Amino acid sequence: MKLERGLTFLAIALWVAPAAFGQGAPISGSGKARPPQSSAGAPPQDVAWEKGTPPAVMLPNASQHPTVLLWPQGAPGSEGKTGDETYRLSGDLMIVSNVHRPSLTLYLPPREKATGAGIIVTPGGASREIWITNEGYRVADWLSQRGIAAFVLKYRLPRAQGSTYTAEDHSLPDIQRAIRLVRSRAAEWNVDPDRVGVIGFSAGGFLAGLAGARYTDPAKHPVDSVDQLSARPAFMALMYGTPFAPPMQANARITKDLPPVFLCAGSEDRIAASYPDVYKQMKEAGVSVEMHLFAGVGHGFAIQLGVPAVSQVWPDLFRAWLFERGFLTKQ
């Protein structure tokens, strides 16, 4: 079936098995879907916060997927903050908070398989926490298996308990630094610096959209030559989260200079209810944009079992979009 490009409302009544995510996609365990959040975006309290090292089975293999600090000498604005990251488990998902040392976890494809594209993967969590399994590690694994270098971002959280961070002064600089850092090491990581984009989920979509709209902002606290590089993403995928309309609206304008945009959400998601209007505004501004809304689907599907079958096709739609926009050298 040929998919019409552009504005696509998906109302497919068919079964798509978990295998649609591709060979080796790490979808296992209890299969519990991401629980719906309250109207205030509060995390479900099914498991208490814990300190220390999370269960090893929940972490990427460090030898295959090393973690790189965005600022090796410490993140500007986090001076004196030494608390450990905290975590909780929800079924087979790990959720992280209390981030003071923002970082990237690398998922690099073999050189012979690499397409040259690189993507900063930005999980959501209402800016209180980071749903790093289903909106981070699994997404990055899926991408890297298909030749796309992926970098899972842990960023500072303005709404975490006791946080003094803000989106403007900390979270946005984190994703901007991530883009610059990947560009600075593009040769080492086998990435084309002109094809470094972002994908964000929920609050991560808010950050990804900010990165696309605010790339002309200078580094707030430049510390080295990395901060002299461009922070403009080559493209941005906003998965059920955007800064361009309520309820996450921020200082981000839709102009013709936005990078190409991939919008994707569930039709029953109140957070993404503005997507048709955002799409229309982008089209009117001359932005290259494509949108998919999945009928009967709510918030937070990502890559996991227990989500509606219709929404499981989004990774393939996104990859096809990247290919058609010229960001992949091979499909």
Side-chain angles (χ1 to χ4, degrees), residues 40-127:
Q45 299 300 317
D46 54 330
V47 179
W49 285 104
E50 302 287 348
K51 294 183 178 180
T53 304
V57 70
M58 308 297 289
L59 298 172
N61 184 318
S63 64
Q64 298 176 357
H65 308 294
T67 294
V68 176
L69 293 177
L70 298 186
W71 288 275
Q73 305 306 316
S78 289
E79 295 83 0
K81 297 183 185 295
T82 58
D84 292 332
E85 291 176 0
T86 55
Y87 71 92
R88 64 185 181 88
L89 305 180
S90 181
D92 64 344
L93 306 180
M94 184 174 72
I95 303 101
V96 177
S97 191
N98 203 44
V99 176
H100 301 306
R101 294 176 289 277
S103 65
L104 291 174
T105 299
L106 280 55
Y107 282 73
L108 303 178
R111 281 189 170 266
E112 67 275 11
K113 196 174 182 180
T115 63
I119 301 182
I120 311 299
V121 180
T122 313
S127 297

Coordinates of all heavy atoms in Angstrom, one line a residue, residues 40-127:
A40 N -1.8 16.8 35.4 CA -0.7 17.6 35.8 C 0.6 17.1 35.3 O 1.7 17.7 35.5 CB -0.6 17.9 37.3
G41 N 0.6 15.9 34.7 CA 1.8 15.3 34.2 C 2.6 14.6 35.2 O 3.8 14.3 35.0
A42 N 2.0 14.3 36.4 CA 2.7 13.7 37.5 C 3.0 12.2 37.2 O 2.2 11.5 36.6 CB 1.9 13.8 38.8
P43 N 4.2 11.7 37.6 CA 4.6 10.3 37.3 C 3.7 9.4 38.2 O 3.4 9.8 39.3 CB 6.0 10.3 37.7 CG 6.2 11.4 38.7 CD 5.3 12.5 38.3
P44 N 3.4 8.2 37.7 CA 2.7 7.3 38.5 C 3.6 6.8 39.7 O 4.8 6.7 39.6 CB 2.4 6.1 37.6 CG 3.4 6.2 36.5 CD 3.7 7.7 36.4
Q45 N 3.0 6.6 40.9 CA 3.7 6.3 42.1 C 3.7 4.9 42.4 O 3.5 4.4 43.5 CB 3.2 7.2 43.2 CG 3.2 8.7 43.0 CD 4.7 9.2 42.9 OE1 5.6 8.7 43.6 NE2 4.9 10.1 41.9
D46 N 3.9 4.0 41.4 CA 3.8 2.6 41.6 C 5.1 2.0 42.3 O 5.1 1.0 42.9 CB 3.5 1.8 40.3 CG 4.4 2.1 39.2 OD1 5.0 3.3 39.2 OD2 4.7 1.3 38.4
V47 N 6.2 2.7 42.1 CA 7.5 2.2 42.6 C 8.2 3.4 43.2 O 8.3 4.5 42.6 CB 8.3 1.6 41.5 CG1 9.7 1.1 42.1 CG2 7.6 0.4 40.9
A48 N 8.7 3.3 44.4 CA 9.4 4.4 45.1 C 10.7 4.7 44.4 O 11.3 3.8 43.7 CB 9.6 4.1 46.5
W49 N 11.2 5.9 44.5 CA 12.5 6.3 43.9 C 13.6 5.6 44.7 O 13.5 5.3 45.9 CB 12.7 7.8 44.0 CG 11.9 8.6 43.0 CD1 10.8 9.3 43.3 CD2 12.2 8.7 41.6 NE1 10.4 9.8 42.1 CE2 11.2 9.5 41.1 CE3 13.2 8.2 40.8 CZ2 11.2 9.8 39.7 CZ3 13.2 8.5 39.5 CH2 12.2 9.3 38.9
E50 N 14.6 5.2 44.0 CA 15.7 4.5 44.5 C 17.0 5.2 44.2 O 17.0 6.0 43.3 CB 15.8 3.0 44.0 CG 14.6 2.2 44.2 CD 14.4 1.7 45.6 OE1 15.4 1.9 46.4 OE2 13.3 1.3 46.0
K51 N 18.0 5.0 45.0 CA 19.3 5.6 44.7 C 20.3 4.5 44.3 O 20.1 3.3 44.6 CB 19.8 6.4 45.9 CG 19.0 7.6 46.2 CD 19.6 8.4 47.4 CE 18.8 9.7 47.6 NZ 19.3 10.5 48.7
G52 N 21.4 4.9 43.8 CA 22.5 3.9 43.5 C 22.3 3.4 42.0 O 21.7 4.0 41.2
T53 N 23.0 2.3 41.8 CA 23.0 1.8 40.4 C 21.8 1.0 40.1 O 21.4 0.1 40.9 CB 24.3 0.8 40.3 OG1 25.4 1.6 40.6 CG2 24.4 0.3 38.9
P54 N 21.1 1.3 39.0 CA 20.0 0.5 38.6 C 20.3 -0.9 38.3 O 21.5 -1.3 38.1 CB 19.5 1.2 37.3 CG 20.2 2.6 37.3 CD 21.5 2.4 38.1
P55 N 19.3 -1.8 38.2 CA 19.6 -3.2 37.8 C 20.4 -3.3 36.5 O 20.0 -2.6 35.5 CB 18.2 -3.8 37.7 CG 17.3 -3.0 38.5 CD 17.9 -1.6 38.4
A56 N 21.4 -4.1 36.4 CA 22.3 -4.2 35.2 C 21.5 -4.5 34.0 O 21.8 -4.0 32.9 CB 23.4 -5.2 35.4
V57 N 20.4 -5.3 34.1 CA 19.6 -5.7 33.0 C 18.9 -4.6 32.3 O 18.5 -4.6 31.2 CB 18.6 -6.9 33.4 CG1 17.5 -6.3 34.3 CG2 18.1 -7.6 32.2
M58 N 18.7 -3.5 33.1 CA 18.0 -2.3 32.5 C 19.0 -1.3 31.8 O 18.5 -0.4 31.2 CB 17.3 -1.6 33.7 CG 16.4 -2.4 34.5 SD 15.0 -3.2 33.6 CE 14.0 -1.7 33.3
L59 N 20.3 -1.6 31.9 CA 21.3 -0.7 31.4 C 21.9 -1.2 30.1 O 22.0 -2.4 29.9 CB 22.4 -0.4 32.4 CG 22.0 0.2 33.7 CD1 23.1 0.2 34.7 CD2 21.5 1.6 33.5
P60 N 22.2 -0.3 29.2 CA 22.9 -0.7 27.9 C 24.3 -1.3 28.3 O 24.9 -0.9 29.3 CB 23.1 0.6 27.1 CG 22.1 1.6 27.8 CD 22.0 1.2 29.2
N61 N 24.8 -2.2 27.5 CA 26.1 -2.7 27.7 C 27.1 -1.6 27.4 O 27.3 -1.1 26.4 CB 26.3 -3.9 26.6 CG 27.7 -4.5 26.8 OD1 28.7 -3.9 27.1 ND2 27.7 -5.9 26.7
A62 N 27.9 -1.3 28.5 CA 28.7 -0.1 28.5 C 29.9 -0.3 27.5 O 30.4 0.7 26.9 CB 29.3 0.2 29.9
S63 N 30.3 -1.5 27.2 CA 31.4 -1.7 26.2 C 30.9 -1.4 24.8 O 31.7 -1.0 23.9 CB 31.9 -3.1 26.4 OG 30.9 -4.1 26.0
Q64 N 29.6 -1.7 24.5 CA 29.0 -1.5 23.2 C 28.4 -0.1 23.1 O 28.4 0.5 22.0 CB 28.0 -2.5 22.9 CG 28.5 -3.9 22.9 CD 27.4 -5.0 22.7 OE1 26.2 -4.6 22.6 NE2 27.8 -6.2 22.6
H65 N 27.9 0.5 24.2 CA 27.2 1.7 24.2 C 27.8 2.6 25.3 O 27.1 2.8 26.3 CB 25.7 1.5 24.4 CG 25.1 0.5 23.4 ND1 25.1 0.7 22.1 CD2 24.6 -0.7 23.6 CE1 24.5 -0.3 21.5 NE2 24.2 -1.2 22.4
P66 N 28.9 3.2 25.1 CA 29.5 4.1 26.1 C 28.7 5.3 26.3 O 28.0 5.8 25.4 CB 30.9 4.4 25.6 CG 30.8 4.2 24.1 CD 29.8 3.1 23.9
T67 N 28.9 5.9 27.5 CA 28.3 7.2 27.8 C 29.3 8.3 27.9 O 30.4 8.1 28.4 CB 27.5 7.1 29.2 OG1 26.4 6.2 29.1 CG2 27.0 8.4 29.6
V68 N 29.0 9.4 27.2 CA 29.9 10.5 27.1 C 29.3 11.7 27.8 O 28.1 12.1 27.5 CB 30.2 10.9 25.7 CG1 31.1 12.1 25.6 CG2 30.9 9.7 25.0
L69 N 29.9 12.4 28.7 CA 29.4 13.6 29.4 C 29.4 14.7 28.4 O 30.4 14.9 27.6 CB 30.3 14.0 30.6 CG 30.2 13.0 31.8 CD1 31.2 13.5 32.8 CD2 28.8 12.8 32.3
L70 N 28.4 15.5 28.4 CA 28.3 16.7 27.5 C 29.4 17.7 27.9 O 30.0 18.3 27.0 CB 26.9 17.4 27.6 CG 25.7 16.6 27.2 CD1 24.5 17.5 27.2 CD2 25.9 16.0 25.8
W71 N 29.6 17.9 29.2 CA 30.7 18.7 29.7 C 31.6 17.9 30.6 O 31.2 17.7 31.8 CB 30.2 19.9 30.4 CG 29.5 21.0 29.6 CD1 30.1 22.0 28.9 CD2 28.1 21.1 29.3 NE1 29.1 22.8 28.3 CE2 27.9 22.2 28.5 CE3 26.9 20.4 29.7 CZ2 26.6 22.7 28.1 CZ3 25.7 20.8 29.3 CH2 25.5 21.9 28.5
P72 N 32.7 17.4 30.1 CA 33.6 16.5 31.0 C 34.0 17.2 32.3 O 34.2 16.5 33.3 CB 34.8 16.3 30.1 CG 34.3 16.4 28.7 CD 33.3 17.5 28.8
Q73 N 34.1 18.5 32.3 CA 34.5 19.2 33.5 C 33.4 19.7 34.4 O 33.5 20.4 35.3 CB 35.4 20.4 33.2 CG 36.6 20.0 32.3 CD 37.5 18.9 33.0 OE1 37.7 19.0 34.2 NE2 37.9 18.0 32.1
G74 N 32.1 19.3 34.0 CA 31.0 19.7 34.8 C 30.1 20.6 33.9 O 30.6 21.5 33.2
A75 N 28.8 20.5 34.0 CA 27.9 21.3 33.2 C 27.7 22.7 33.9 O 27.5 22.8 35.1 CB 26.5 20.6 33.2
P76 N 27.9 23.7 33.1 CA 27.6 25.1 33.6 C 26.2 25.2 34.2 O 25.2 24.8 33.6 CB 27.8 26.0 32.3 CG 28.6 25.2 31.4 CD 28.2 23.7 31.6
G77 N 26.2 25.7 35.4 CA 24.9 25.8 36.1 C 24.6 24.6 37.1 O 23.6 24.7 37.8
S78 N 25.5 23.6 37.0 CA 25.3 22.5 38.0 C 26.5 22.5 39.0 O 26.7 21.4 39.7 CB 25.3 21.2 37.2 OG 24.1 21.0 36.5
E79 N 27.2 23.5 39.1 CA 28.3 23.6 40.1 C 27.7 23.3 41.5 O 26.7 23.9 41.9 CB 28.9 25.0 40.1 CG 29.6 25.3 38.8 CD 28.7 25.8 37.7 OE1 27.5 26.0 37.9 OE2 29.2 26.1 36.6
G80 N 28.4 22.4 42.2 CA 28.0 22.1 43.6 C 26.9 21.1 43.7 O 26.6 20.7 44.8
K81 N 26.4 20.6 42.6 CA 25.3 19.6 42.6 C 26.0 18.3 42.4 O 26.4 17.9 41.3 CB 24.3 19.9 41.6 CG 23.5 21.2 41.8 CD 22.5 21.4 40.8 CE 21.8 22.8 40.9 NZ 21.1 23.0 42.1
T82 N 26.0 17.5 43.5 CA 26.7 16.2 43.4 C 25.8 15.0 43.7 O 26.3 13.9 43.7 CB 27.8 16.2 44.5 OG1 27.3 16.4 45.8 CG2 28.9 17.3 44.1
G83 N 24.5 15.2 43.8 CA 23.6 14.1 44.1 C 23.6 13.0 43.0 O 23.8 13.4 41.8
D84 N 23.5 11.8 43.3 CA 23.4 10.7 42.3 C 22.1 10.7 41.6 O 21.0 11.2 42.1 CB 23.5 9.3 43.0 CG 24.9 9.1 43.6 OD1 25.9 9.7 43.1 OD2 25.0 8.3 44.6
E85 N 22.1 10.2 40.4 CA 20.8 10.0 39.7 C 19.9 9.1 40.4 O 20.4 8.2 41.1 CB 21.1 9.5 38.3 CG 21.8 10.5 37.4 CD 22.1 9.9 36.0 OE1 21.8 8.7 35.8 OE2 22.7 10.7 35.2
T86 N 18.6 9.2 40.3 CA 17.7 8.3 41.0 C 16.9 7.6 39.9 O 16.8 8.1 38.8 CB 16.8 9.1 41.9 OG1 16.1 10.1 41.2 CG2 17.5 9.7 43.1
Y87 N 16.3 6.5 40.2 CA 15.6 5.7 39.3 C 14.4 5.0 39.9 O 14.4 4.9 41.1 CB 16.5 4.7 38.6 CG 16.9 3.5 39.5 CD1 16.1 2.4 39.5 CD2 18.0 3.6 40.3 CE1 16.4 1.3 40.3 CE2 18.3 2.6 41.1 CZ 17.5 1.4 41.1 OH 17.9 0.4 42.0
R88 N 13.5 4.7 39.1 CA 12.4 3.8 39.5 C 12.0 2.9 38.4 O 12.4 3.2 37.2 CB 11.2 4.5 40.0 CG 10.5 5.4 38.9 CD 9.3 6.2 39.5 NE 8.6 7.0 38.5 CZ 7.6 6.6 37.8 NH1 7.2 5.3 38.0 NH2 7.1 7.3 36.9
L89 N 11.4 1.8 38.6 CA 11.0 0.8 37.6 C 9.5 0.8 37.5 O 8.8 0.8 38.5 CB 11.5 -0.6 37.9 CG 13.0 -0.7 38.2 CD1 13.4 -2.1 38.5 CD2 13.8 -0.1 37.0
S90 N 9.0 0.7 36.3 CA 7.6 0.5 36.0 C 7.5 -0.6 35.0 O 7.7 -0.4 33.8 CB 7.0 1.8 35.4 OG 5.6 1.6 35.2
G91 N 7.2 -1.8 35.5 CA 7.2 -3.0 34.6 C 8.6 -3.2 34.1 O 9.6 -3.3 34.9
D92 N 8.8 -3.3 32.8 CA 10.1 -3.5 32.2 C 10.7 -2.1 31.7 O 11.7 -2.1 30.9 CB 10.1 -4.5 31.0 CG 9.3 -4.0 29.9 OD1 8.5 -3.0 30.1 OD2 9.4 -4.5 28.8
L93 N 10.3 -1.0 32.3 CA 10.8 0.3 31.9 C 11.5 0.9 33.1 O 11.1 0.8 34.3 CB 9.7 1.2 31.5 CG 8.7 0.7 30.4 CD1 7.6 1.7 30.1 CD2 9.5 0.3 29.2
M94 N 12.7 1.6 32.8 CA 13.4 2.3 33.8 C 13.2 3.8 33.6 O 13.2 4.3 32.4 CB 14.9 2.0 33.7 CG 15.7 2.7 34.8 SD 17.5 2.1 34.8 CE 18.0 3.0 33.3
I95 N 13.0 4.5 34.7 CA 12.7 6.0 34.6 C 13.8 6.6 35.5 O 14.0 6.3 36.7 CB 11.3 6.3 35.1 CG1 10.3 5.5 34.2 CG2 11.1 7.8 35.0 CD1 9.7 4.3 34.9
V96 N 14.4 7.7 35.0 CA 15.6 8.3 35.6 C 15.2 9.7 36.0 O 14.4 10.4 35.4 CB 16.8 8.3 34.7 CG1 18.0 9.1 35.3 CG2 17.2 6.9 34.3
S97 N 15.8 10.2 37.2 CA 15.6 11.6 37.5 C 16.9 12.1 38.2 O 17.9 11.3 38.3 CB 14.4 11.8 38.4 OG 14.1 13.2 38.6
N98 N 16.9 13.3 38.7 CA 18.0 13.9 39.5 C 19.3 13.9 38.6 O 20.3 13.5 39.1 CB 18.2 13.1 40.8 CG 18.9 14.0 41.8 OD1 18.6 15.1 42.0 ND2 19.9 13.4 42.5
V99 N 19.2 14.4 37.4 CA 20.3 14.5 36.5 C 21.1 15.8 36.7 O 20.5 16.9 36.5 CB 19.8 14.3 35.0 CG1 21.0 14.5 34.1 CG2 19.1 13.0 34.8
H100 N 22.3 15.7 37.1 CA 23.2 16.8 37.2 C 24.4 16.8 36.2 O 25.1 17.8 36.1 CB 23.7 16.9 38.6 CG 22.6 17.1 39.7 ND1 21.7 18.0 39.6 CD2 22.4 16.3 40.8 CE1 20.8 17.9 40.7 NE2 21.3 16.8 41.4
R101 N 24.6 15.6 35.6 CA 25.7 15.5 34.7 C 25.1 15.0 33.4 O 25.1 13.8 33.1 CB 26.7 14.5 35.3 CG 27.4 14.9 36.5 CD 28.3 13.9 37.1 NE 27.6 12.8 37.7 CZ 27.0 12.8 38.9 NH1 27.2 13.9 39.7 NH2 26.3 11.8 39.3
P102 N 24.6 15.9 32.6 CA 24.0 15.6 31.3 C 24.9 14.8 30.4 O 26.1 15.1 30.4 CB 23.5 16.9 30.7 CG 24.3 17.9 31.4 CD 24.6 17.4 32.8
S103 N 24.4 13.8 29.7 CA 25.3 12.9 28.9 C 24.6 12.4 27.7 O 23.4 12.6 27.5 CB 25.7 11.8 29.8 OG 24.5 11.0 30.2
L104 N 25.4 11.7 26.9 CA 24.9 11.0 25.7 C 25.3 9.5 25.8 O 26.5 9.3 26.1 CB 25.4 11.6 24.4 CG 24.9 13.0 24.0 CD1 25.7 13.4 22.7 CD2 23.4 12.9 23.7
T105 N 24.4 8.6 25.6 CA 24.7 7.2 25.5 C 24.7 6.8 24.0 O 23.8 7.1 23.3 CB 23.8 6.3 26.2 OG1 23.8 6.7 27.6 CG2 24.1 4.9 26.1
L106 N 25.8 6.3 23.5 CA 26.1 6.1 22.1 C 25.6 4.7 21.6 O 25.9 3.7 22.2 CB 27.6 6.2 21.8 CG 28.2 7.6 21.7 CD1 28.0 8.4 22.9 CD2 29.7 7.5 21.4
Y107 N 24.8 4.8 20.5 CA 24.4 3.6 19.7 C 24.9 3.8 18.3 O 24.2 4.4 17.5 CB 22.9 3.4 19.8 CG 22.4 2.9 21.1 CD1 22.3 3.7 22.2 CD2 21.9 1.6 21.1 CE1 21.8 3.1 23.4 CE2 21.4 1.0 22.3 CZ 21.4 1.8 23.5 OH 20.9 1.3 24.6
L108 N 26.1 3.3 18.0 CA 26.7 3.5 16.7 C 26.6 2.2 15.9 O 27.0 1.2 16.3 CB 28.2 3.9 16.9 CG 28.5 5.1 17.8 CD1 30.0 5.4 17.9 CD2 27.7 6.4 17.2
P109 N 26.1 2.4 14.7 CA 26.1 1.2 13.8 C 27.5 0.8 13.3 O 28.4 1.7 13.3 CB 25.2 1.7 12.6 CG 25.4 3.2 12.6 CD 25.6 3.6 14.0
P110 N 27.7 -0.4 12.8 CA 28.9 -0.8 12.2 C 29.2 0.2 11.0 O 28.3 0.6 10.3 CB 28.7 -2.2 11.7 CG 27.6 -2.7 12.5 CD 26.7 -1.5 12.8
R111 N 30.5 0.4 10.8 CA 30.8 1.4 9.7 C 30.3 0.9 8.3 O 29.9 1.8 7.5 CB 32.4 1.5 9.6 CG 32.9 2.5 10.7 CD 34.4 2.8 10.5 NE 34.8 3.9 11.4 CZ 34.8 5.2 11.1 NH1 34.4 5.5 9.9 NH2 35.1 6.1 12.0
E112 N 30.3 -0.4 8.1 CA 29.8 -0.8 6.8 C 28.3 -0.7 6.6 O 27.8 -0.7 5.5 CB 30.2 -2.3 6.6 CG 29.5 -3.3 7.5 CD 30.3 -3.5 8.8 OE1 31.2 -2.6 9.1 OE2 29.9 -4.4 9.5
K113 N 27.6 -0.5 7.7 CA 26.2 -0.3 7.7 C 25.7 1.1 7.8 O 24.5 1.4 7.6 CB 25.6 -1.2 8.8 CG 24.1 -1.5 8.6 CD 23.6 -2.5 9.7 CE 22.1 -2.8 9.5 NZ 21.7 -3.8 10.6
A114 N 26.6 2.0 8.2 CA 26.2 3.4 8.6 C 25.7 4.1 7.4 O 26.3 4.1 6.3 CB 27.4 4.1 9.2
T115 N 24.7 4.9 7.6 CA 24.1 5.7 6.6 C 24.7 7.2 6.6 O 24.4 7.9 5.6 CB 22.6 5.8 6.8 OG1 22.3 6.5 8.0 CG2 21.9 4.5 6.7
G116 N 25.3 7.5 7.7 CA 25.9 8.9 7.8 C 25.0 9.8 8.6 O 25.4 10.9 9.1
A117 N 23.7 9.4 8.9 CA 22.8 10.2 9.7 C 23.1 10.0 11.2 O 23.5 8.9 11.6 CB 21.4 9.9 9.3
G118 N 22.8 11.0 12.0 CA 23.0 10.9 13.4 C 21.8 11.6 14.0 O 21.3 12.6 13.6
I119 N 21.2 11.0 15.1 CA 20.0 11.5 15.8 C 20.2 11.6 17.3 O 20.6 10.6 17.9 CB 18.8 10.7 15.5 CG1 18.6 10.6 13.9 CG2 17.6 11.2 16.1 CD1 17.3 9.8 13.6
I120 N 20.0 12.8 17.9 CA 19.9 12.9 19.3 C 18.5 12.5 19.7 O 17.5 13.0 19.3 CB 20.1 14.4 19.7 CG1 21.3 15.0 19.1 CG2 20.2 14.5 21.3 CD1 22.6 14.4 19.4
V121 N 18.4 11.4 20.6 CA 17.2 10.8 21.0 C 16.9 11.4 22.4 O 17.7 11.2 23.3 CB 17.3 9.3 21.1 CG1 15.9 8.7 21.6 CG2 17.6 8.7 19.7
T122 N 15.7 12.1 22.5 CA 15.4 12.9 23.7 C 14.1 12.3 24.3 O 13.0 12.7 23.9 CB 15.3 14.4 23.4 OG1 16.4 14.8 22.6 CG2 15.3 15.2 24.7
P123 N 14.2 11.5 25.3 CA 13.0 10.9 26.0 C 12.2 12.0 26.7 O 12.8 13.1 27.1 CB 13.6 9.9 26.9 CG 15.0 9.6 26.5 CD 15.5 10.9 25.9
G124 N 11.0 11.7 27.0 CA 10.1 12.6 27.8 C 10.0 12.1 29.2 O 10.7 11.3 29.7
G125 N 9.1 12.8 29.9 CA 8.8 12.5 31.4 C 8.4 13.7 32.1 O 8.7 13.9 33.3
A126 N 7.6 14.6 31.4 CA 7.0 15.8 32.1 C 8.1 16.8 32.7 O 7.8 17.5 33.6 CB 6.0 15.4 33.1
S127 N 9.3 16.7 32.2 CA 10.4 17.5 32.8 C 10.7 17.2 34.2 O 11.4 17.9 34.9 CB 10.1 19.0 32.6 OG 10.0 19.3 31.2

